[in-house]
Amino acid sequence: MSAKQQQIKRIGVLTSGGDAPGMNAGIRAVVRASVYYKMTPLGIRHGYDGFINNEIHKMDAGSVKHIIHQGGTILKSARSMEFKTDKGMQKAWKNVQKHNLDAMVVIGGDGTFKGAMEFGKKFDFPIVGIPGTIDNDIYGTDFTVGFDTAVNTVVEAVDKIRDTATSHNRLFFVEVMGRDAGFIAMYSGIGAGAEEILIPEKDRGIEQLFESLERTSKRRKSSRLVVVAEGDKNGNVYDLEEQVKERFGDRYETKVTILGHVQRGGRPSCTDRVLASRLGVAAVEALKDGKRGVMVGVRNRKVEFTDLEQATKRNPEMDKELMRVANIISI
Amino acid sequence: MSAKQQQIKRIGVLTSGGDAPGMNAGIRAVVRASVYYKMTPLGIRHGYDGFINNEIHKMDAGSVKHIIHQGGTILKSARSMEFKTDKGMQKAWKNVQKHNLDAMVVIGGDGTFKGAMEFGKKFDFPIVGIPGTIDNDIYGTDFTVGFDTAVNTVVEAVDKIRDTATSHNRLFFVEVMGRDAGFIAMYSGIGAGAEEILIPEKDRGIEQLFESLERTSKRRKSSRLVVVAEGDKNGNVYDLEEQVKERFGDRYETKVTILGHVQRGGRPSCTDRVLASRLGVAAVEALKDGKRGVMVGVRNRKVEFTDLEQATKRNPEMDKELMRVANIISI
Amino acid sequence: MSAKQQQIKRIGVLTSGGDAPGMNAGIRAVVRASVYYKMTPLGIRHGYDGFINNEIHKMDAGSVKHIIHQGGTILKSARSMEFKTDKGMQKAWKNVQKHNLDAMVVIGGDGTFKGAMEFGKKFDFPIVGIPGTIDNDIYGTDFTVGFDTAVNTVVEAVDKIRDTATSHNRLFFVEVMGRDAGFIAMYSGIGAGAEEILIPEKDRGIEQLFESLERTSKRRKSSRLVVVAEGDKNGNVYDLEEQVKERFGDRYETKVTILGHVQRGGRPSCTDRVLASRLGVAAVEALKDGKRGVMVGVRNRKVEFTDLEQATKRNPEMDKELMRVANIISI
Amino acid sequence: MSAKQQQIKRIGVLTSGGDAPGMNAGIRAVVRASVYYKMTPLGIRHGYDGFINNEIHKMDAGSVKHIIHQGGTILKSARSMEFKTDKGMQKAWKNVQKHNLDAMVVIGGDGTFKGAMEFGKKFDFPIVGIPGTIDNDIYGTDFTVGFDTAVNTVVEAVDKIRDTATSHNRLFFVEVMGRDAGFIAMYSGIGAGAEEILIPEKDRGIEQLFESLERTSKRRKSSRLVVVAEGDKNGNVYDLEEQVKERFGDRYETKVTILGHVQRGGRPSCTDRVLASRLGVAAVEALKDGKRGVMVGVRNRKVEFTDLEQATKRNPEMDKELMRVANIISI
């Protein structure tokens, strides 16, 4: 191991998959920690595509100046098909040799980690992952980089929609991102004071929605907001609107908003910047200490490591207590 | 006339049609100006519906405390079908008599003013209008209350989309509100640095878009944003995406976002608060001075009056110079 | 115990001490959870002052409608001197009897909990506390309600200051709140990418600052931001500026900003809304279950209870790892 | 003149004096309009200092990509003492010759324009100015670039302070920028619903404040906000607090916040981006058309030109009607 440790002189860093606010803070921390520990950081642009195509350049403390507050990723991102092929991986491996890379940090989600795991095994190459995705669907960390910003973005948007909903006594369906996970919907739904929250993790969402509409249509509540996870099993948000119309006729004036890609962007929240900074430093220190094939996360306020294999296979569990709380306070 | 003037002791105020940020600042100014001039302000809830259904209550300086920064309208709004009928108007007139209303201020857009005009003529009742709509489609004022907030909301959202667009080299279509007018699209498009802006006022929007995509697909620009007014004549934003795909195949990875109702809500900008405050005071002073059947607006930084008839019939002109500027700086 | 449990029918709720964003979300959750469990919630205005002066009124699900996104506290707050006297407490006790209160939830910080503890013991009255303060200086919870919003507010402000600092190559000192604790400074400092962070928990802050300025004045960095906790032991921020000027002469153009009370206000972040919602529900359920004299907090994503005595006596520890991270990434 | 016109091939652009949000949008428009008209834009860094020290570099459409939303100025700014000397100007003139500059656009305020005027006359060199300052104290334009963003920043901050002020029934003094002009205070004061606004343009500010406090201390208003322009003649905001304490004893719990440099930064508002874009294009077109020694502004929604001499000598007038409105709605 100690032999290995001495080899880590040059560290590559890339962002891959869907971009998330805070990725830049992560890049910055990886770069600065590398410099701090007398290593040379190299930026790889456009994710695994750039890894394959040799879009690799040296970085230093100055190249990450004034980026901590910027959304997106200065290294750009991509979903690479080619990296799933042997040929693609071989090309990337040539670039590793060309640039004398000793290790790599990858920032992204599920797909990113799968690629990293495979590449790492194939070439016995040390890689550490940082969970960067707004969806919070990665096992091994309390929260992923980007989640906190995304739920704040959603809550801000829904606050605005509430203004107009209240002015008109309307029933609004707001679809939010999250892929197969309901975390964004659950947190932002509670935060926005939504009357109902529909998530893939919950079975009888639509029945519950009907019952609650049944109850409240009698009470004449001034407006109703339903936050719907994109992965919800009752079909998409327009179907949902249809079903409500069928059942309740014109008792409700319904409206639909699909928040879309605004959820991916924006200045990262303080929480995301701090989290990404911690994880960036931890990733470099992990490589320095001979760790590989792991993801760094923060659980219970402490840095923890999870095998990339586990990180990609297991799903984080939706907090039952939150569902209960959501139910109680939307009374 | 002077006889009339002395009669104005009790002023009703309502908001009608689509709500707009700043309406509360307008209500606040109407109420406080009434108090200032020793008149009694009465709030009418739910627009003309509440006018018909007698949802009318006394207000004072305290009832508009801490509302200047709130989106929506504390008096709620509605689009009333009943007020378009003689029967509806007669009912409303009874309420005028019941509450001894001497005059009324209505805050809203086109439809609101048409109703006001008719009712005012029918019963010889003094009404003054304040232009409150995010669409800026009212003749007789440089800007309507709500427009400035809406374009800021759009620009903020598109800034976020730009983060993710840039990270992925994508072509984004963003549909914004504005009904038949392209003001929101034009201002927010320039403000957001959109590569193209499609508005109903411009003929060859889509041809121009194709040409510009033709040019830039050669230059490999990292991301492209097209802001599309909902009233644009090239069909809706999904049709547009289709046409681009047909023409350019997969040369572009396209995405669509329809901003929707977030554009109606949110804390009003300073400009909208100041504008609404000025117009609210001006409306009360106009009634006090015997004016009626007019809309108050601000043109060239001065309060001006426009006949409600003109305000509803004529359209404000899209500024040619802005189109030119948009064209030059998106080079 | 079970005898006690049956007695809890009427629950009072108050906010006391410095206000914090998210308090309204806490009030809302307490009120709705009470209704959910068939109890009657009563609001007590102006903290312990209103408790003494009988500013107590019934609430229901509707009275907390549309407040989750509002800063401040709809129940108002105060620091009561009278409640520290026996006479004051006796008066308050009379009000407990007058309104048949069976228990109470108090939202606030240190001082609030001390009052609660004493009153609870004196009259054998069940009280549960919710940690509501921007300072994060309460033992027994990972974070206090309001902290997350405050650090986001600071980071947003410092981002703006960075714009102008960078444009002019200036050295900015920004003083932030936090009383004797450096949490706001540490988190917002990391989040804002501050070059130095001075907190009461760190000894040689100013020497370190001098050394770092020494180093960087040679490297000609374009701007420098120093975030200073108000409780820092090197004197206030103006003294600090003086010391730097003495040492470095006019090598730096220095500027000072004291952020002040903007840090207390503003729409709460999603995190603060969710946290306050959880704690509000947990507080009511704790009382229902016979708990008393405890504070509810969230540690490691789970609700936990801490004796009010401990909560007020012990201080939460500043995370050493964060200090280390701050040091590494400001290289 | 037409001979001159043909000479304009290379245009320099700089920002000088206090930075203002929207300057980047102005730079972007100058650069892109130059490219559009087949001229070569050159950026001059650090204002007149860089003009003297030859910090001059070619720019193109790509060098101003993704800057329209950034606060500050990518060209940096400075207040140059050396440019006030003949020697400094001579050095700058050498750089004009070295880079074959045919004309220059300067973005800034008063001081910037004075330097431009003198330099232009001395060397018969075509210069056009763009008013960029948050203070709005330039004659010849309805609004300066940066003003709208600044008042929005102030209003947002005061909204937050209002949250806490209301929670505690406090009297807050908030000092805002503006140099000798009260525009920021007047607009943000109205926008924030301030109870009093103290500006240099108004004589009896403090007497009026005393009277209004006298009145309201009887009415027990829940909170009071006084917005004070930094140029106000009643001394600084702390003196003001003292005077109020002397007069009213402890009838009010007073607090002071000096907003400071946050007012200079931040993402520019849509209005500022559009204004700066128009003026940047107009400045280049003006030079192309042979104009020189003028400032471009927008008055009554139209581009207008004002002699730099007039722009610096005359002051824009505070709108009397606004003062009246402020007075009426703070009742």
Side-chain angles (χ1 to χ4, degrees):
Chain A
M1 186 90 95
S2 65
K4 269 249 145 0
Q5 288 178 229
Q6 289 163 0
Q7 289 165 19
I8 311 261
K9 292 286 181 205
R10 297 166 67 85
I11 295 187
V13 56
L14 61 76
T15 49
S16 161
D19 61 308
M23 280 186 162
N24 281 328
I27 295 167
R28 176 178 178 265
V30 168
V31 167
R32 297 214 162 164
S34 300
V35 172
Y36 183 87
Y37 289 116
K38 318 282 183 208
M39 303 185 246
T40 303
L42 292 99
I44 303 166
R45 283 166 65 91
H46 295 114
Y48 292 127
D49 275 351
F51 193 28
I52 293 171
N53 300 322
N54 196 22
E55 299 184 62
I56 303 177
H57 60 286
K58 261 198 223 176
M59 299 182 83
D60 57 30
S63 38
V64 291
K65 201 171 61 177
H66 306 329
I67 66 165
I68 197 171
H69 63 291
Q70 289 177 21
T73 153
I74 60 162
L75 291 178
K76 310 255 172 163
S77 189
R79 296 181 206 275
S80 174
M81 297 312 292
E82 203 181 347
F83 197 65
K84 293 184 180 169
T85 67
D86 177 63
K87 209 173 136 190
M89 288 214 172
Q90 296 291 353
K91 279 197 206 170
W93 180 243
K94 289 230 173 86
N95 291 324
V96 167
Q97 295 170 307
K98 187 177 300 173
H99 293 277
N100 284 315
L101 290 184
D102 302 310
M104 186 161 72
V105 177
V106 298
I107 310 177
D110 238 46
T112 306
F113 293 166
K114 274 179 198 151
M117 205 166 53
E118 223 179 303
F119 189 84
K121 278 187 194 157
K122 194 174 190 117
F123 302 103
D124 188 24
F125 185 64
I127 306 185
V128 168
I130 294 176
T133 162
I134 62 169
D135 303 324
N136 206 38
D137 57 352
I138 304 289
Y139 177 83
T141 191
D142 283 349
F143 297 105
T144 54
V145 173
F147 175 70
D148 187 64
T149 305
V151 292
N152 275 313
T153 300
V154 173
V155 157
E156 246 175 79
V158 181
D159 282 356
K160 286 179 187 166
I161 291 172
R162 175 76 79 180
D163 285 342
T164 188
T166 305
S167 299
H168 286 277
N169 300 341
R170 280 169 176 163
L171 170 58
F172 260 91
F173 294 93
V174 182
E175 186 186 290
V176 302
M177 285 185 164
R179 297 202 308 167
D180 296 333
F183 291 100
I184 293 180
M186 181 51 70
Y187 276 79
S188 68
I190 292 180
E195 273 76 14
E196 291 295 330
I197 303 168
L198 299 186
I199 57 172
E201 291 87 347
K202 211 163 66 175
D203 262 355
R204 51 186 292 284
I206 199 159
E207 269 318 305
Q208 198 170 312
L209 174 63
F210 285 163
E211 286 166 26
S212 117
L213 289 177
E214 204 68 67
R215 273 200 313 279
T216 54
S217 74
K218 288 164 196 160
R219 271 201 293 149
R220 224 177 168 287
K221 238 201 157 189
S222 71
S223 71
R224 293 194 71 78
L225 278 167
V226 182
V227 170
V228 185
E230 63 177 344
D232 183 58
K233 284 152 189 158
N234 298 295
N236 78 28
V237 74
Y238 288 111
D239 295 342
L240 213 62
E241 189 192 20
E242 258 335 289
Q243 294 178 59
V244 166
K245 277 189 175 161
E246 255 171 52
R247 175 93 162 233
F248 292 94
D250 53 2
R251 240 193 293 170
Y252 289 101
E253 186 192 350
T254 56
K255 293 273 172 189
V256 164
T257 293
I258 298 176
L259 285 184
H261 279 79
V262 293
Q263 296 167 83
R264 293 214 169 277
R267 298 165 53 261
S269 70
C270 184
T271 286
D272 272 332
R273 300 184 194 189
V274 172
L275 175 61
S277 297
R278 292 179 73 173
L279 296 182
V281 170
V284 170
E285 294 181 338
L287 287 168
K288 192 175 140 283
D289 295 347
K291 290 203 181 61
R292 47 165 62 201
V294 295
M295 183 194 86
V296 290
V298 168
R299 285 211 279 201
N300 304 344
R301 301 180 78 172
K302 281 197 182 54
V303 168
E304 292 198 6
F305 301 94
T306 306
D307 265 9
L308 282 178
E309 185 140 11
Q310 283 222 42
T312 52
K313 272 199 186 143
R314 297 178 60 173
N315 284 322
E317 236 178 295
M318 174 62 63
D319 199 331
K320 293 278 184 309
E321 191 221 333
L322 275 187
M323 295 197 206
R324 217 169 50 75
V325 166
N327 195 31
I328 291 174
I329 59 176
S330 65
I331 199 172
Chain B
M1 188 89 95
S2 65
K4 269 256 149 348
Q5 287 179 228
Q6 289 162 2
Q7 289 166 19
I8 311 261
K9 292 283 180 209
R10 297 165 67 86
I11 295 187
V13 56
L14 63 76
T15 50
S16 162
D19 62 309
M23 280 186 161
N24 281 328
I27 295 168
R28 177 176 177 264
V30 169
V31 167
R32 297 214 163 162
S34 300
V35 172
Y36 183 89
Y37 289 116
K38 319 283 182 206
M39 303 185 242
T40 302
L42 292 100
I44 302 166
R45 282 167 65 92
H46 293 113
Y48 292 128
D49 275 351
F51 193 29
I52 292 170
N53 299 323
N54 196 22
E55 299 184 65
I56 303 175
H57 60 285
K58 262 197 220 177
M59 299 181 83
D60 58 29
S63 36
V64 291
K65 200 170 61 175
H66 305 329
I67 65 165
I68 197 170
H69 63 291
Q70 290 175 21
T73 153
I74 60 163
L75 292 178
K76 311 251 172 167
S77 188
R79 298 184 205 273
S80 175
M81 297 311 294
E82 202 180 347
F83 197 65
K84 293 185 178 169
T85 66
D86 178 63
K87 207 172 139 193
M89 288 213 171
Q90 295 291 351
K91 278 197 207 170
W93 179 243
K94 288 228 171 88
N95 290 325
V96 167
Q97 294 169 310
K98 187 179 301 174
H99 292 278
N100 284 315
L101 290 184
D102 302 311
M104 184 160 73
V105 177
V106 298
I107 309 178
D110 236 49
T112 307
F113 292 166
K114 276 181 196 146
M117 204 168 53
E118 223 180 304
F119 188 84
K121 277 188 195 156
K122 195 174 188 114
F123 301 103
D124 189 22
F125 184 64
I127 305 184
V128 168
I130 293 176
T133 163
I134 63 168
D135 303 324
N136 206 37
D137 58 351
I138 304 288
Y139 179 84
T141 191
D142 283 348
F143 297 105
T144 54
V145 173
F147 174 71
D148 187 64
T149 305
V151 291
N152 275 311
T153 299
V154 173
V155 157
E156 247 177 79
V158 181
D159 282 355
K160 287 178 184 165
I161 292 172
R162 174 76 77 179
D163 285 343
T164 189
T166 305
S167 299
H168 286 276
N169 301 341
R170 281 169 175 161
L171 169 58
F172 260 93
F173 295 93
V174 181
E175 186 185 291
V176 303
M177 286 185 162
R179 296 204 310 172
D180 296 332
F183 291 100
I184 292 181
M186 180 50 71
Y187 277 78
S188 67
I190 292 181
E195 273 76 15
E196 289 295 329
I197 303 167
L198 299 186
I199 56 172
E201 291 87 346
K202 212 163 62 174
D203 262 353
R204 51 185 294 283
I206 197 157
E207 270 319 303
Q208 197 170 313
L209 174 62
F210 284 163
E211 286 166 27
S212 116
L213 289 176
E214 205 68 69
R215 269 200 315 276
T216 54
S217 74
K218 288 165 196 160
R219 273 200 293 151
R220 226 177 167 287
K221 239 203 156 187
S222 70
S223 72
R224 295 194 69 79
L225 279 167
V226 182
V227 169
V228 185
E230 64 177 342
D232 183 57
K233 283 151 192 161
N234 299 295
N236 80 26
V237 74
Y238 288 110
D239 296 342
L240 212 60
E241 190 192 21
E242 258 336 289
Q243 295 178 59
V244 167
K245 277 188 176 164
E246 253 171 56
R247 175 94 161 231
F248 292 93
D250 52 4
R251 239 192 293 171
Y252 289 101
E253 187 191 349
T254 56
K255 293 273 172 189
V256 164
T257 293
I258 298 177
L259 285 183
H261 280 78
V262 294
Q263 297 166 82
R264 293 212 168 280
R267 300 164 51 261
S269 70
C270 184
T271 286
D272 272 332
R273 300 184 194 187
V274 171
L275 175 62
S277 298
R278 291 178 74 173
L279 295 182
V281 169
V284 170
E285 293 181 339
L287 286 168
K288 192 174 140 280
D289 295 346
K291 290 205 179 58
R292 45 163 65 199
V294 295
M295 183 194 85
V296 290
V298 167
R299 285 211 281 200
N300 304 343
R301 304 181 76 174
K302 285 201 180 52
V303 169
E304 290 197 7
F305 302 94
T306 306
D307 265 9
L308 283 179
E309 187 140 10
Q310 282 223 43
T312 52
K313 272 197 188 146
R314 296 177 62 172
N315 284 323
E317 236 177 294
M318 173 64 62
D319 198 330
K320 294 279 185 309
E321 190 220 333
L322 274 187
M323 296 197 206
R324 215 170 51 77
V325 165
N327 196 33
I328 290 174
I329 60 177
S330 65
I331 200 171
Chain C
M1 188 91 94
S2 64
K4 268 254 143 2
Q5 287 177 228
Q6 290 162 1
Q7 289 166 19
I8 310 262
K9 292 283 180 211
R10 296 165 66 86
I11 295 188
V13 55
L14 62 77
T15 50
S16 161
D19 62 310
M23 281 186 161
N24 281 328
I27 295 167
R28 176 175 178 267
V30 169
V31 167
R32 297 215 163 161
S34 301
V35 172
Y36 182 89
Y37 290 115
K38 319 282 183 209
M39 304 185 245
T40 303
L42 292 100
I44 303 166
R45 282 166 65 90
H46 294 113
Y48 292 128
D49 276 350
F51 193 29
I52 292 171
N53 300 322
N54 197 21
E55 299 184 65
I56 303 176
H57 60 285
K58 262 199 223 176
M59 299 181 83
D60 57 30
S63 37
V64 291
K65 199 171 61 175
H66 306 330
I67 66 165
I68 196 171
H69 63 291
Q70 289 176 22
T73 154
I74 61 162
L75 291 179
K76 310 252 171 167
S77 188
R79 298 181 204 274
S80 174
M81 298 311 295
E82 203 180 347
F83 197 64
K84 294 186 180 169
T85 66
D86 177 64
K87 210 175 138 190
M89 288 214 171
Q90 295 292 351
K91 279 196 205 170
W93 181 243
K94 289 228 172 87
N95 290 325
V96 167
Q97 295 170 307
K98 187 179 298 173
H99 292 280
N100 283 316
L101 290 184
D102 301 310
M104 184 160 74
V105 176
V106 298
I107 308 176
D110 236 49
T112 306
F113 293 166
K114 276 181 197 149
M117 204 168 53
E118 224 180 302
F119 188 84
K121 280 189 192 157
K122 195 173 190 121
F123 300 104
D124 189 23
F125 184 65
I127 305 185
V128 168
I130 293 175
T133 162
I134 62 168
D135 302 325
N136 205 38
D137 56 352
I138 304 289
Y139 178 83
T141 191
D142 283 349
F143 297 106
T144 54
V145 173
F147 175 70
D148 186 64
T149 306
V151 292
N152 275 313
T153 300
V154 173
V155 157
E156 245 176 81
V158 181
D159 282 355
K160 288 180 185 166
I161 292 173
R162 175 75 76 180
D163 285 342
T164 188
T166 305
S167 299
H168 286 277
N169 300 340
R170 280 168 176 162
L171 170 58
F172 260 93
F173 295 93
V174 181
E175 186 184 292
V176 302
M177 285 185 164
R179 295 204 312 171
D180 296 333
F183 290 100
I184 293 180
M186 180 51 71
Y187 277 79
S188 67
I190 291 180
E195 272 76 15
E196 290 294 330
I197 303 168
L198 299 186
I199 56 170
E201 291 88 347
K202 208 163 67 174
D203 261 354
R204 51 184 293 283
I206 197 159
E207 270 319 303
Q208 198 171 311
L209 173 63
F210 284 163
E211 286 165 27
S212 116
L213 290 178
E214 204 69 67
R215 272 200 314 275
T216 54
S217 74
K218 287 164 196 160
R219 274 202 293 152
R220 224 175 167 288
K221 240 203 156 186
S222 71
S223 70
R224 293 194 72 77
L225 278 167
V226 182
V227 169
V228 186
E230 64 178 342
D232 182 59
K233 283 151 189 160
N234 299 296
N236 78 28
V237 74
Y238 288 111
D239 296 342
L240 213 61
E241 189 192 22
E242 259 333 291
Q243 294 177 60
V244 167
K245 276 189 175 161
E246 254 171 53
R247 177 94 161 229
F248 292 93
D250 51 4
R251 242 193 291 170
Y252 289 103
E253 188 193 346
T254 57
K255 292 274 172 188
V256 164
T257 293
I258 297 176
L259 285 184
H261 280 77
V262 293
Q263 295 166 84
R264 293 213 169 282
R267 299 164 53 262
S269 70
C270 184
T271 286
D272 272 332
R273 299 183 195 189
V274 172
L275 175 62
S277 297
R278 293 178 73 172
L279 295 182
V281 170
V284 170
E285 294 181 338
L287 286 167
K288 191 174 140 284
D289 294 346
K291 289 206 181 58
R292 47 163 64 199
V294 296
M295 183 194 86
V296 290
V298 168
R299 284 211 282 200
N300 304 342
R301 303 182 76 174
K302 284 200 178 52
V303 168
E304 292 199 6
F305 302 94
T306 306
D307 266 11
L308 283 178
E309 187 141 8
Q310 283 222 44
T312 52
K313 269 198 187 146
R314 295 177 62 173
N315 284 323
E317 236 178 292
M318 173 62 63
D319 199 330
K320 292 281 185 307
E321 191 222 333
L322 274 187
M323 294 198 208
R324 216 169 51 76
V325 166
N327 195 34
I328 290 174
I329 60 176
S330 66
I331 200 171
Chain D
M1 187 90 92
S2 65
K4 269 253 149 349
Q5 287 177 229
Q6 289 162 3
Q7 289 167 19
I8 310 263
K9 292 286 179 206
R10 297 165 67 86
I11 295 188
V13 55
L14 61 77
T15 49
S16 159
D19 62 307
M23 280 186 162
N24 280 329
I27 295 168
R28 177 177 178 265
V30 169
V31 167
R32 299 215 160 162
S34 301
V35 172
Y36 183 89
Y37 289 116
K38 319 284 183 206
M39 303 185 244
T40 303
L42 292 100
I44 303 167
R45 282 168 65 91
H46 295 114
Y48 292 128
D49 275 351
F51 193 29
I52 292 171
N53 299 322
N54 196 23
E55 299 184 63
I56 303 176
H57 60 286
K58 263 199 221 176
M59 300 181 83
D60 57 29
S63 37
V64 292
K65 199 171 62 176
H66 305 330
I67 66 166
I68 197 171
H69 63 291
Q70 290 177 23
T73 154
I74 59 162
L75 291 178
K76 311 256 173 163
S77 188
R79 296 182 205 275
S80 174
M81 297 312 293
E82 203 180 347
F83 197 65
K84 293 187 179 167
T85 66
D86 177 62
K87 211 174 136 188
M89 290 213 170
Q90 295 291 351
K91 279 196 206 173
W93 180 242
K94 289 227 171 86
N95 290 325
V96 167
Q97 294 170 306
K98 186 178 300 174
H99 292 278
N100 284 315
L101 290 184
D102 301 312
M104 186 161 71
V105 176
V106 298
I107 309 177
D110 236 47
T112 306
F113 293 165
K114 276 180 196 148
M117 203 166 54
E118 224 179 301
F119 188 84
K121 278 188 194 157
K122 195 174 189 115
F123 300 103
D124 189 22
F125 185 64
I127 305 184
V128 167
I130 293 175
T133 163
I134 62 169
D135 303 324
N136 206 38
D137 57 351
I138 304 289
Y139 178 83
T141 190
D142 283 349
F143 296 106
T144 54
V145 173
F147 175 71
D148 187 63
T149 305
V151 293
N152 275 312
T153 299
V154 172
V155 157
E156 247 178 77
V158 181
D159 282 356
K160 287 179 185 166
I161 292 173
R162 174 76 77 181
D163 285 342
T164 188
T166 305
S167 298
H168 286 277
N169 300 340
R170 279 167 176 164
L171 170 58
F172 260 91
F173 294 93
V174 181
E175 186 184 292
V176 302
M177 285 185 165
R179 295 204 312 170
D180 296 332
F183 290 100
I184 293 180
M186 180 52 70
Y187 276 79
S188 68
I190 292 180
E195 273 76 14
E196 290 295 329
I197 302 166
L198 300 186
I199 56 171
E201 290 87 348
K202 210 162 67 175
D203 262 353
R204 51 184 293 284
I206 197 158
E207 269 319 304
Q208 199 170 313
L209 173 63
F210 284 162
E211 284 166 29
S212 117
L213 289 177
E214 204 69 69
R215 272 201 314 276
T216 54
S217 73
K218 287 165 196 158
R219 275 202 290 152
R220 223 175 167 288
K221 240 204 156 185
S222 70
S223 71
R224 293 194 71 79
L225 278 167
V226 182
V227 170
V228 185
E230 64 177 343
D232 182 58
K233 284 151 188 160
N234 299 294
N236 78 28
V237 74
Y238 288 110
D239 296 341
L240 213 62
E241 189 192 21
E242 257 336 288
Q243 294 178 58
V244 166
K245 277 189 174 163
E246 254 171 54
R247 176 93 162 232
F248 291 94
D250 52 4
R251 240 193 291 172
Y252 289 101
E253 187 192 349
T254 56
K255 293 273 173 191
V256 164
T257 293
I258 298 176
L259 285 183
H261 280 77
V262 293
Q263 296 166 83
R264 292 211 170 282
R267 298 164 54 260
S269 69
C270 184
T271 287
D272 273 333
R273 299 183 194 189
V274 172
L275 176 61
S277 298
R278 293 178 73 172
L279 295 182
V281 170
V284 171
E285 294 182 338
L287 286 168
K288 191 174 142 283
D289 295 347
K291 289 204 180 61
R292 46 165 61 200
V294 296
M295 184 193 85
V296 289
V298 168
R299 285 210 280 201
N300 304 343
R301 302 180 78 172
K302 282 199 181 55
V303 169
E304 292 198 4
F305 302 95
T306 307
D307 265 9
L308 283 178
E309 185 142 9
Q310 282 221 44
T312 52
K313 271 199 188 143
R314 295 176 61 173
N315 284 321
E317 237 178 293
M318 174 62 65
D319 198 331
K320 294 280 186 309
E321 190 221 332
L322 275 186
M323 296 198 207
R324 215 169 53 76
V325 166
N327 195 33
I328 291 174
I329 60 177
S330 65
I331 199 171

